Amino acid sequence: MDQIDRIIAQWARERPELDTGPMAVMGRLARLSLHWQREVERTLGQHGLTAASFDVLAALRRAGAPYQLSPGDLLATMMITSGTMTHRLDQLEKAGMIRRDKNPDDGRGVLISLTEAGFATVEAAVGDHVAQQHRLMAALPVAERQALGASMARLLADQEPPET
């Protein structure tokens, strides 16, 4: 019996008419998220990164060569405000992980580019990050992971507007 089971049992005793099935699922997802966030931060910290800085570097890496995006395109890949993005970019630029280059197609604009150090860091970090995700999901056979992923995708699609 875990903490969620105890909470569900208490509600069953106090309010037996309530269907707390969704509470059990959502409670466990919330607790797992907390555990996983700590583990992710620990692994990324070994590379001198936070989850926030990793998100920026990973977005640039996923963009493919030449590993650069406009601030708007970068912002579109993340669920943060432009002020938060500016802060992250400032920190990564100070650390030598990214640089801001003039956009040759827009004289007023810039492109955010991975530096060699940023590329090397994200390459090492993403390998460790993916290996860690496999370890964190190892309790579930592959078929169960796939089914869980599909179910979660349906729930998420119900909460978020379709991408355009």
Side-chain angles (χ1 to χ4, degrees):
M1 177 176 268
D2 65 18
Q3 181 64 25
I4 303 300
D5 288 328
R6 286 188 278 282
I7 291 168
I8 297 302
Q10 290 168 337
W11 280 121
R13 181 188 71 234
E14 296 298 316
R15 296 283 309 269
E17 78 281 9
L18 293 177
D19 174 6
T20 55
M23 184 186 292
V25 172
M26 293 175 74
R28 285 191 173 95
L29 281 173
R31 288 183 61 94
L32 279 168
S33 179
L34 290 173
H35 290 293
W36 290 342
Q37 284 175 356
R38 282 193 295 264
E39 289 299 312
V40 165
E41 289 287 350
R42 184 185 59 75
T43 295
L44 296 176
Q46 294 171 353
H47 297 278
L49 300 173
T50 63
S53 60
F54 175 77
D55 283 347
V56 174
L57 297 178
L60 291 167
R61 175 61 182 92
R62 288 191 314 267
Y67 313 111
Q68 61 184 200
L69 292 169
S70 71
D73 288 341
L74 187 56
L75 191 61
T77 70
M78 310 172 117
M79 294 182 289
I80 58 175
T81 65
S82 60
T84 299
M85 175 64 74
T86 298
H87 176 72
R88 288 183 188 179
L89 295 177
D90 289 345
Q91 297 303 312
L92 286 166
E93 189 172 35
K94 286 179 191 171
M97 300 287 174
I98 62 130
R99 69 177 181 270
R100 290 173 167 109
D101 299 318
K102 289 187 178 186
N103 186 338
D105 298 328
D106 176 1
R108 296 173 296 150
V110 298
L111 292 172
I112 309 303
S113 303
L114 277 178
T115 62
E116 286 184 30
F119 183 88
T121 299
V122 73
E123 281 295 287
V126 74
D128 288 348
H129 182 57
V130 170
Q132 178 189 54
Q133 290 173 333
H134 280 275
R135 286 190 302 276
L136 292 171
M137 296 296 293
L140 294 179
V142 172
E144 286 184 37
R145 279 185 248 165
Q146 291 170 339
L148 178 60
S151 294
M152 291 173 66
R154 284 194 306 276
L155 287 170
L156 194 55
D158 187 55
Q159 299 297 310
E160 294 182 346
E163 293 203 12
T164 54

